[in-house]
Amino acid sequence: MNNNKRFLGWIPYLVVALLVTSLYSYSRASTTSALTYGQFMKLVSNQQIEEVVLTMNNTVIDVTGRYKENDTEKGFVASVPNTEVKTDELIDILQKNVKEGNIKIVNPYKTNYLMEILTQIVPLCLMIGFALFLLTRMNGSSNNKAFEFSKSRARLESNIKVRFTDVAGCEEEKEEMAEIIEYLRSPEKFAKMGARIPKGILMVGNPGTGKTLLAKAVAGEADVPFYSISGADFVEMFVGVGASRVRDMFKKAKGTAPCMIFIDEIDAVGRQRGAGLGGGNDEREQTLNQLLVEMDGIDENRGIVIIAATNRPDILDPALLRPGRFDRQITVSLPDKAGRKAILEVHARNKKLSKDIDLGALAARTPGFSGADLENVLNEAAILAVRGKRDIITMEDLDEAIDRVIGGPAKKSRKYSDKEKRLVATHEAGHSVIGIHLEDAEIVQKVTIIPRGQAGGYNLMTPKEDQMFLQTKKQLLAEITGLLGGRVAEELVLGEISTGASNDLERATKIAKAMVNQYGMSSLGAVQYASDSENVFLGRDYVNNKNYSDKVAFEIDQEVRKIINGCYEEAKKIIAANRQELDNIVRELIENETLTKEDLDNIVKYGTKNAPAIAEA
């Protein structure tokens, strides 16, 4: 390898030498004149020739040399016919007008053995040397890649800028991580007390909830090296490569302890072993085995903490979750209203917001949004402000950004026919009337008939209070009734039904089945009939045995139909009782295309979206 580097070092000098030689030859050639026989003889007669070389060929004599003109020497070339008369005449006149020592006669057929050898051997040597150089380079690079193939793909970051102040909406999770930071800063404190800090911490949560950001913040607060890798980076086509990468990663980590290893999407390598149709995956299972061995091989309080993230903890191998490995599990949940406001404040630091924007109200309108969704809302609003050539982000920009995140960009160029526009307006108005008058239904914040994505229109509805885990039977029934409101409005007002309710029916049926199969909210009693159908392993899904009889399956279908039909009749009663209100909403939607909660309140109270002016006393 050193010889190759030395050879490469000589290449620039060789190139420069060739360039200089070429330039010199070019400059010499540019000062050489091609003379006719008459011009040449005239210069000889005038005694201007300084030196001359005669090359005696068979038919012509090539004449080269230098002559003087106005005290300046110039080169020349000329040709003279090689006849006896001309040759004698040329030799005679040159001897009379040119100094004797400046006349040279060259035999072109005299062999120069050294030059012949060099012209044959040198090109061959150059070609062989170039071929050897290429082969050496190819072998060297392939060998290097062969060695690097089994190296760890973990990226080392030693100067993390992220801090806990950059992470919002997960205060309890940060409290759990505080002792890990203290341990990484001074592991000897815990060793003196006989405490054993968990080697592995598993962070579980929906996509976009900030698991990776929280892990970086821990490394940033502790100011330790941060190894980051995805579970998919371990697994390759060749068996044994993943295990080798795991060994190399832990070897590096032990050399830089205290440090932190972050494995994102660990379910890619940590799935339960032996599952799937026809057995497991040898490479993935060997990689998992090596990961388990390396975690067991870390001495207590060595200063190495492993944090892994996944949104599928149900498919992980039980050996990963036992004490001594990933023995602490932290759930990173979707943020509540206060958390969403804090996240918006973090991401709004570098945004120019209008003074009338209330981030608290914006947080109330975005239930179920993750941190990534909220960051995307502010980014989309900033893009819309730039597109509109505004200096600040307005509330209209944020309102449109929420709609874009939920349903995609508005298709303003798509035009409804009058019949289709009335159908969509009636459908969305039906959802709105249920949301307004049903006690346990969600609050309608906005309704629009502007198409977005696959939807012709949509209702933005938010719960009255943030609910993290539990829903009552009344709330589920109200949700089903609200979903069926659009279909009921089409039937009662237009006398026909459309395909627009397909997604509503799908969601309503799913909720009704869950009430019967999972939640025990039917006349079948407090029995759970649902099987474990969410497992992703093909071998278990391929043969999915029911744990109930065909008679019970018939009763389940009857109960699901009973729930749907009951909610359908409830929606009919509400819409029939508020028919005038529904017609007013349809009229305003056709005219304005979008209505806010304030507009709907005015329609309920005054019959129109605009509140009447209060007459002065």
Side-chain angles (χ1 to χ4, degrees):
M1 199 67 182
N2 292 331
N3 293 333
N4 291 338
K5 291 182 178 179
R6 291 174 185 172
F7 178 74
L8 291 173
W10 280 99
I11 289 179
Y13 298 102
L14 293 174
V15 172
V16 171
L18 290 173
L19 287 175
V20 171
T21 305
S22 300
L23 290 174
Y24 178 74
S25 300
Y26 177 77
S27 63
R28 289 290 302 270
S30 63
T31 58
T32 301
S33 303
L35 304 178
T36 64
Y37 178 72
Q39 292 173 333
F40 169 65
M41 296 303 291
K42 184 178 180 181
L43 290 174
V44 174
S45 300
N46 295 335
Q47 296 184 348
Q48 291 180 260
I49 300 298
E50 294 292 323
E51 59 180 25
V52 65
V53 178
L54 304 177
T55 304
M56 313 299 289
N57 296 307
N58 288 333
T59 58
V60 295
I61 301 172
D62 293 329
V63 184
T64 59
R66 303 190 66 78
Y67 70 96
K68 183 179 290 185
E69 185 179 19
N70 298 328
D71 297 331
T72 302
E73 285 192 0
K74 295 182 179 180
F76 73 89
V77 293
S79 296
V80 178
N82 191 0
T83 63
E84 186 177 349
V85 176
K86 290 289 185 183
T87 303
D88 293 341
E89 181 183 349
L90 179 61
I91 296 294
D92 184 58
I93 194 172
L94 286 173
Q95 289 177 345
K96 291 179 179 179
N97 295 289
V98 181
K99 292 182 180 180
E100 184 177 352
N102 292 345
I103 301 174
K104 295 180 181 179
I105 299 175
V106 177
N107 182 4
Y109 304 107
K110 184 178 180 181
T111 302
N112 190 333
Y113 295 104
L114 180 61
M115 289 301 297
E116 285 187 359
I117 292 172
L118 289 177
T119 54
Q120 292 180 8
I121 294 179
V122 170
L124 181 62
C125 292
L126 290 175
M127 292 177 63
I128 295 173
F130 184 68
L132 291 174
F133 170 72
L134 289 179
L135 289 173
T136 305
R137 292 283 293 177
M138 291 172 63
N139 290 334
S141 61
S142 62
N143 289 335
N144 290 338
K145 289 184 178 180
F147 285 115
E148 291 177 0
F149 194 64
S150 60
K151 296 293 185 182
S152 170
R153 300 290 180 88
R155 297 175 297 276
L156 174 61
E157 301 179 42
S158 56
N159 189 18
I160 304 295
K161 301 294 184 182
V162 182
R163 297 292 185 270
F164 271 175
T165 54
D166 301 315
V167 183
C170 50
E171 299 304 318
E172 293 79 8
E173 290 81 357
K174 289 195 288 187
E175 290 178 5
E176 287 290 325
M177 291 295 190
E179 65 184 26
I180 302 299
I181 297 171
E182 184 65 24
Y183 167 68
L184 289 171
R185 287 175 177 172
S186 52
E188 62 278 357
K189 290 183 180 179
F190 295 84
K192 289 180 181 179
M193 293 297 296
R196 181 183 63 82
I197 289 295
K199 296 178 183 178
I201 298 173
L202 181 66
M203 290 197 295
V204 179
N206 293 332
T209 49
K211 300 183 290 294
T212 303
L213 187 65
L214 183 59
K216 279 193 174 184
V218 172
E221 292 285 348
D223 193 23
V224 295
F226 179 76
Y227 291 91
S228 174
I229 192 171
S230 171
D233 290 334
F234 290 113
V235 183
E236 290 286 353
M237 179 177 65
F238 305 106
V239 176
V241 173
S244 177
R245 290 177 178 175
V246 171
R247 287 191 296 270
D248 185 66
M249 181 181 69
F250 277 88
K251 180 179 178 182
K252 291 179 179 178
K254 290 176 182 177
T256 57
C259 65
M260 196 176 83
I261 299 174
F262 176 66
I263 306 175
D264 197 11
E265 305 296 344
I266 194 174
D267 50 275
V269 70
R271 292 190 176 203
Q272 186 172 344
R273 291 168 290 184
L277 188 64
N281 181 294
D282 286 341
E283 165 62 359
R284 178 176 54 77
E285 291 186 4
Q286 286 195 21
T287 306
L288 175 57
N289 291 337
Q290 189 63 44
L291 178 62
L292 299 176
V293 170
E294 291 294 337
M295 292 188 71
D296 289 339
I298 299 177
D299 298 333
E300 291 184 4
N301 298 322
R302 178 68 182 267
I304 300 175
V305 174
I306 306 162
I307 298 180
T310 182
N311 52 13
R312 294 301 310 271
D314 55 310
I315 66 175
L316 294 180
D317 194 277
L320 269 177
L321 306 179
R322 76 158 176 81
R325 291 166 182 165
F326 289 102
D327 48 2
R328 177 174 295 185
Q329 184 170 316
I330 297 176
T331 301
V332 185
S333 306
L334 291 171
D336 57 8
K337 180 180 176 181
R340 292 194 297 273
K341 181 181 178 182
I343 292 172
L344 288 169
E345 289 174 349
V346 169
H347 293 299
R349 291 173 182 172
N350 62 338
K351 304 288 191 305
K352 296 181 179 180
L353 301 179
S354 174
K355 294 181 179 180
D356 62 344
I357 289 179
D358 183 2
L359 294 180
L362 189 63
R365 291 181 54 192
T366 52
F369 277 44
S370 66
D373 293 330
L374 295 170
E375 191 276 334
N376 195 23
V377 166
L378 289 176
N379 185 62
E380 288 287 346
I383 292 173
L384 291 171
V386 173
R387 186 182 300 174
K389 298 180 180 179
R390 291 181 291 275
D391 296 331
I392 57 174
I393 299 171
T394 63
M395 196 62 201
E396 289 75 14
D397 295 326
L398 289 170
D399 187 64
E400 174 63 20
I402 293 174
D403 292 342
R404 291 170 73 90
V405 171
I406 294 175
K411 298 180 179 179
K412 296 181 180 179
S413 60
R414 178 179 167 186
K415 300 298 182 183
Y416 286 122
S417 64
D418 292 338
K419 181 179 179 180
E420 190 177 15
K421 191 172 186 179
R422 180 171 178 77
L423 175 61
V424 175
T426 302
H427 183 97
E428 298 303 330
H431 291 306
S432 301
V433 170
I434 300 297
I436 292 170
H437 291 284
L438 191 58
E439 181 180 355
D440 292 298
E442 295 182 339
I443 301 172
V444 182
Q445 298 288 350
K446 180 180 179 180
V447 58
T448 178
I449 59 172
I450 298 175
R452 292 179 182 272
Q454 300 296 322
Y458 80 97
N459 270 263
L460 176 60
M461 305 178 75
T462 60
K464 296 176 182 178
E465 296 178 354
D466 276 344
Q467 293 176 313
M468 299 301 293
F469 305 108
L470 303 178
Q471 281 184 294
T472 65
K473 182 178 179 180
K474 286 185 177 180
Q475 289 173 332
L476 292 173
L477 292 174
E479 188 174 353
I480 295 174
T481 305
L483 290 169
L484 298 175
R487 173 69 170 263
V488 171
E490 292 178 14
E491 182 181 348
L492 292 181
V493 177
L494 303 176
E496 60 180 349
I497 56 178
S498 71
T499 60
S502 61
N503 182 253
D504 297 331
L505 296 177
E506 179 184 353
R507 293 166 60 192
T509 305
K510 185 177 180 181
I511 295 171
K513 285 184 176 180
M515 291 176 65
V516 177
N517 288 335
Q518 298 179 35
Y519 308 142
M521 295 179 178
S522 70
S523 60
L524 296 181
V527 180
Q528 188 178 68
Y529 296 102
S531 58
D532 188 12
S533 60
E534 294 186 356
N535 206 305
V536 299
F537 300 121
L538 178 61
R540 297 180 181 179
D541 285 344
Y542 190 71
V543 181
N544 190 6
N545 296 322
K546 296 185 297 183
N547 55 359
Y548 46 83
S549 65
D550 292 339
K551 181 181 178 181
V552 173
F554 176 75
E555 292 176 355
I556 290 173
D557 291 340
Q558 293 286 82
E559 288 296 321
V560 171
R561 188 177 293 109
K562 180 180 177 181
I563 291 173
I564 296 294
N565 290 339
C567 293
Y568 199 86
E569 293 300 321
E570 178 70 15
K572 275 187 177 181
K573 291 178 183 179
I574 295 174
I575 291 178
N578 298 277
R579 173 62 187 274
Q580 184 59 49
E581 186 176 300
L582 183 138
D583 292 338
N584 292 338
I585 295 175
V586 171
R587 184 190 69 249
E588 295 290 346
L589 274 175
I590 293 175
E591 182 178 350
N592 300 286
E593 294 188 336
T594 300
L595 299 174
T596 63
K597 183 178 183 301
E598 292 74 16
D599 296 333
L600 292 173
D601 291 340
N602 288 335
I603 291 173
V604 172
K605 189 178 294 186
Y606 306 111
T608 178
K609 67 178 290 250
N610 298 316
I614 300 175
E616 296 182 1

